[in-house]
Amino acid sequence: LEPRRRRLAPKLYAALLSTGENPLLVGCTVEHNKCPARAPSGRGLVSLLISPRRVPELFDEPDDVVVGEVLREGAKIIDGLPEAVVGAEVVRWRHALPEVRPEALRRWSAFVRRDPGPIEYAGDWLLLMPSSEAAAASADYVVGRVESLLGR
């Protein structure tokens, strides 16, 4: 399972959709193309992202209604999606806008330059970018700090 692509184009692990391309979805991730170990062999793991413009009308709907709508639209970008689904999870965050408050931003530079300690912090917030890529990159930063603390 993956978004439609040209025959020789590389496999996608993420796709963003323009505003006019899909009335419900803004994108998708295809986790089994990014990291095959995230799904059992022969299976896939796909996340379909609902447009913020449409969230209010679906937020309080039952899961089966949301899944039905998302699969209907998802089938327009991923062939065979509805037939392949063996499970679905609807994730809702009513208040989930990432935000760095001015005080945190002022303190950030000193925080990332402080001496290494017995407790270190990692995660997308460390680099002020809410994404899995930033979370992974923060690990590189933290490993270097821990190694220096251990004298390596």
Side-chain angles (χ1 to χ4, degrees):
L1 292 173
E2 65 180 300
R4 290 186 196 110
R5 60 186 172 97
R6 292 189 194 100
R7 195 169 62 96
L8 299 177
K11 288 187 173 187
L12 297 173
Y13 72 84
L16 298 175
L17 304 173
S18 66
T19 302
E21 188 166 342
N22 191 288
L24 180 64
L25 304 175
V26 292
C28 67
T29 61
V30 185
E31 298 296 332
H32 57 277
N33 280 355
K34 185 175 184 180
C35 179
R38 290 186 179 167
S41 181
R43 304 268 181 157
L45 179 60
V46 175
S47 295
L48 298 167
L49 310 170
I50 297 174
S51 166
R53 293 179 312 279
R54 298 288 304 276
V55 166
E57 71 191 68
L58 291 172
F59 194 87
D60 293 318
E61 291 292 331
D63 286 0
D64 61 323
V65 171
V66 176
V67 170
E69 292 285 321
V70 167
L71 288 178
R72 183 175 47 78
E73 292 300 321
K76 296 176 182 178
I77 57 172
I78 301 175
D79 293 324
L81 178 66
E83 300 80 22
V85 171
V86 295
E89 181 177 343
V90 177
V91 178
R92 294 174 174 89
W93 293 303
R94 189 169 299 277
H95 305 289
L97 183 62
E99 177 182 25
V100 178
R101 296 195 176 259
E103 181 64 18
L105 192 55
R106 278 192 294 279
R107 292 178 171 206
W108 180 80
S109 181
F111 178 78
V112 296
R113 288 180 175 74
R114 76 195 187 293
D115 290 336
I119 297 175
E120 284 298 325
Y121 302 87
D124 56 356
W125 59 270
L126 186 65
L127 301 180
L128 305 179
M129 295 182 292
S131 68
S132 58
E133 289 80 5
S138 77
D140 289 337
Y141 167 80
V142 170
V143 166
R145 291 178 57 82
V146 170
E147 287 179 339
S148 73
L149 185 66
L150 298 173
R152 293 185 186 168

